[in-house]
Amino acid sequence: MGSLVSAEFKGVEEQILIATTPAAGFPVEGDSYLIISSGDARYVITGNDSYYSDDGDVGGVYIENGHPVSGADAYDVATLTLKLRVPYGATKLSFRWRFTTDEEPSDDTFQDYFYSYVVFPDGKKVVAATLPNGTIPYVGPIAPYTRETTPGDGVYLYAIMNYTSTAVVDVSQYQGKEITIVFQVADTEDEIVDTAVLIDDLKFDVPQSFFVYNRMMVIAQVWTMYFFKLHDEFDELYANASAMGVDNETLSLAKELHENATQMIMDAWDTDNLDDIKLRLWGAIPTYPKMHLVRRAYVTEKDAVNLLIDAMKELEGS
């Protein structure tokens, strides 16, 4: 039985990245890992001058009093929420993580943070990622556990944790039930200088005879769900755009992108039936898709939808 029930990301798309470039000991397992950033996640491993300028503000989510410890306002908040069904036999949920920041780690004026926690069906909430002193990782308290990055780290932010940490949460009382795990990164005091976390090896520790939670499958499921959300919107948008008088060239291009995206998602999952993908998506048929095609299908479908939306906005404004 598959473990992923649903996935939701709140923030700007650039703030989350499935990375394959080795950096700071990642990937831990397999050939990819996740980066969540309060800025553009790409720049964590590629470097970019804009990381040190006003362009570091990605225009993301703002949460008043959002800091989980100090209550400071949070800017450019990036939040990934996964609902999981705990496999029978599982006793622990774990993942590997490493904090990196462009802030001075000891300057608690800017308390950029990484906050990860699990919510159980009885309402119990457990913080997953903590420092040895017991607090969540954020600028200020994290200083003793960090150092300046070096070229060998492959990370282009100013400072990084000295080590990769493992978060472990006891799930033994919730076998067969749904739990929620949240990963959140944010700036505080400013929305310019950014912070990020590298995450990998998210799994339940179950016997080999049980389903082991696989982070690559989760990533594929997330992007596929994003694709279906846009795919379901396309027909109505297309009909509305046509009724408004959007030109045939734009309609034709949007339709072509939509059809290309549909073919790509079917190729990715090795099927010619979208309903079949939904079965595989939820683990009824354990299939591992072609990751690059899943991503391309989502991006192409998004381009098709945005093309129609932009054309309709232009007509409304004329």
Side-chain angles (χ1 to χ4, degrees), residues 13-294:
E13 183 180 342
E14 288 77 14
Q15 291 180 274
I16 188 168
L17 176 69
I18 301 161
T20 56
T21 303
F26 285 71
V28 176
E29 293 288 340
D31 56 5
S32 66
Y33 56 99
L34 185 68
I35 298 175
I36 304 175
S37 175
S38 61
D40 191 319
R42 295 172 299 177
Y43 300 153
V44 175
I45 54 174
T46 64
N48 189 291
D49 289 341
S50 69
Y51 225 77
Y52 307 94
S53 71
D54 289 347
D55 292 335
D57 175 17
V58 294
V61 175
Y62 165 74
I63 302 177
E64 185 177 6
N65 304 322
H67 196 289
V69 177
S70 71
D73 291 351
Y75 300 86
D76 290 337
V77 183
T79 308
L80 176 63
T81 302
L82 303 177
K83 288 187 180 296
L84 312 173
R85 188 175 300 279
V86 180
Y88 289 99
T91 59
K92 296 176 182 177
L93 173 67
S94 66
F95 63 90
R96 308 293 294 278
W97 63 274
R98 196 166 184 180
F99 186 98
T100 179
T101 183
D102 253 349
E103 302 284 5
E104 168 55 58
S106 62
D107 184 359
D108 60 6
T109 303
F110 303 98
Q111 300 176 335
D112 296 12
Y113 64 84
F114 167 49
Y115 185 30
S116 178
Y117 57 90
V118 175
V119 180
F120 294 104
D122 56 8
K124 180 181 178 182
K125 180 178 177 180
V126 176
V127 177
T130 61
L131 298 174
N133 64 8
T135 189
I136 73 160
Y138 68 97
V139 173
I142 203 168
Y145 312 106
T146 60
R147 58 172 172 77
E148 290 187 23
T149 54
T150 66
D153 290 321
V155 170
Y156 286 83
L157 276 64
Y158 171 69
I160 191 169
M161 281 182 64
N162 296 323
Y163 56 91
T164 296
S165 185
T166 302
V168 181
V169 176
D170 185 350
V171 297
S172 57
Q173 298 180 45
Y174 302 95
Q175 295 178 20
K177 298 180 180 179
E178 290 182 15
I179 65 173
T180 300
I181 184 165
V182 177
F183 306 96
Q184 185 176 90
V185 177
D187 291 334
T188 62
E189 293 301 322
D190 68 57
E191 57 267 43
I192 299 172
V193 181
D194 298 315
T195 290
V197 66
L198 284 61
I199 299 172
D200 196 9
D201 199 25
L202 175 66
K203 64 185 179 183
F204 288 109
D205 70 328
V206 294
Q208 197 64 32
S209 58
F210 290 95
F211 177 84
V212 177
Y213 192 70
N214 184 290
R215 80 212 181 289
M216 288 296 292
M217 191 62 180
V218 171
I219 292 167
Q221 288 168 319
V222 169
W223 290 122
T224 303
M225 283 188 286
Y226 283 170
F227 165 84
F228 275 117
K229 182 177 183 297
L230 293 169
H231 188 272
D232 291 343
E233 295 174 1
F234 181 84
D235 287 340
E236 183 177 355
L237 281 171
Y238 186 89
N240 291 339
S242 180
M244 287 181 64
V246 171
D247 64 273
N248 289 334
E249 183 178 355
T250 300
L251 291 173
S252 178
L253 178 57
K255 190 74 170 179
E256 181 180 355
L257 289 170
H258 171 70
E259 291 173 351
N260 288 344
T262 302
Q263 186 60 52
M264 275 187 271
I265 201 72
M266 291 191 295
D267 290 344
W269 287 89
D270 193 25
T271 183
D272 58 1
N273 188 312
L274 292 179
D275 289 334
D276 183 44
I277 294 175
K278 293 175 181 178
L279 287 175
R280 300 177 186 215
L281 185 65
W282 297 110
I285 304 173
T287 300
Y288 290 82
K290 300 178 181 69
M291 292 292 295
H292 68 288
L293 285 179
V294 173

